[in-house]
Amino acid sequence: VLIVRWGLSAQRRVRRTQSIASHPLKFLAPRNRGESVFLYEEQLKLPMVSMVMPVKWAAIKSRSPKENWKSQLVSMYSGSIEAIFAVESEDDGAVQVVKELQEELAHLEGVTIKVAVAGPATTCSQKIANILAALRAVSPESRYIFCMDANCKLHPGTVHLLMNELENDASVFVATGYPFDMPPENASIWAWTMAQFRYNCLSEFLSNRS
């Protein structure tokens, strides 16, 4: 059974790779919508999204966290984006990086970057406390909340696809994704082993709606 399922997943990966190579924009568009979804009049209909990200600089595992965070704000999604970075205290090293992002992306229309300070957690984990602090800072105009991981780099079409599913399918209550791990250059054999394990898990999430 494992061999059959692995073979079918391999065939799907090949077809998707060919699809990306031949029609990159069409691949990013939701099913049956085609590239028309990226037209200006379609972009105007997009709702405001709040990106909530609990951050602890000492716990960052990514080699380039600033670039990862920038990828979440600079994407193919043309609706308004509100990014809320939640920290335990203003002394956290992430605060300075967020301020640099605010300066670098100040020219972007429709992008707002905030810092929420949670304070030390008392009744839950610090990560949960940070998320709750960020949720309290969400703008009333925002229609959706997107909880992010501080170590993830987003594909340019990710937010657009998730929002499209939520907006156009009344039966969908929540949308989620799964990370695709890429070990850095000169990574150890253990890093590649973990990446392969998570890649096997990823195959279980493959479907027409993923």
Side-chain angles (χ1 to χ4, degrees):
V1 174
L2 263 177
I3 294 175
V4 171
R5 294 185 66 180
W6 181 263
L8 293 174
S9 295
Q11 291 177 2
R12 286 197 296 267
R13 288 194 293 272
V14 170
R15 289 196 297 269
R16 290 180 181 218
T17 300
Q18 294 172 344
S19 176
I20 294 171
S22 58
H23 302 289
L25 280 180
K26 184 176 181 181
F27 178 77
L28 288 173
R31 276 186 307 165
N32 304 322
R33 293 293 301 279
E35 297 179 21
S36 64
V37 75
F38 297 113
L39 295 176
Y40 179 72
E41 53 268 26
E42 289 286 333
Q43 304 290 322
L44 294 177
K45 303 175 185 176
L46 298 174
M48 181 177 182
V49 178
S50 292
M51 292 187 170
V52 167
M53 189 186 309
V55 180
K56 186 178 179 65
W57 189 251
I60 294 292
K61 302 180 182 67
S62 172
R63 183 173 58 177
S64 53
K66 185 178 178 181
E67 293 305 311
N68 288 353
W69 300 347
K70 189 180 295 185
S71 74
Q72 298 165 12
L73 301 172
V74 182
S75 69
M76 299 182 74
Y77 187 74
S78 297
S80 296
I81 291 178
E82 174 185 58
I84 307 173
F85 295 84
V87 295
E88 178 181 352
S89 71
E90 294 183 356
D91 297 330
D92 194 291
V95 174
Q96 180 57 40
V97 180
V98 173
K99 289 181 178 178
E100 293 175 6
L101 273 179
Q102 288 175 324
E103 294 178 2
E104 291 180 21
L105 304 180
H107 65 284
L108 290 181
E109 186 177 351
V111 175
T112 305
I113 303 175
K114 301 178 181 178
V115 175
V117 180
T122 56
T123 59
C124 60
S125 70
Q126 189 60 53
K127 186 172 186 178
I128 296 299
N130 288 5
I131 291 175
L132 293 175
L135 292 176
R136 288 191 289 270
V138 169
S139 170
E141 288 76 32
S142 183
R143 189 182 305 176
Y144 296 106
I145 295 174
F146 193 0
C147 292
M148 296 291 304
D149 188 288
N151 294 299
C152 285
K153 184 174 183 178
L154 275 191
H155 187 283
T158 299
V159 180
H160 193 106
L161 287 174
L162 291 175
M163 292 307 103
N164 181 81
E165 291 293 334
L166 290 167
E167 283 285 281
N168 294 287
D169 191 339
S171 66
V172 177
F173 176 72
V174 65
T176 187
Y178 195 83
F180 181 81
D181 291 340
M182 293 292 291
E185 188 177 354
N186 299 321
S188 68
I189 183 63
W190 301 115
W192 283 101
T193 301
M194 180 56 68
Q196 184 60 45
F197 169 75
R198 288 172 65 89
Y199 184 67
N200 291 340
C201 294
L202 175 62
S203 67
E204 295 299 317
F205 286 83
L206 287 177
S207 71
N208 289 331
R209 293 176 62 84
S210 63

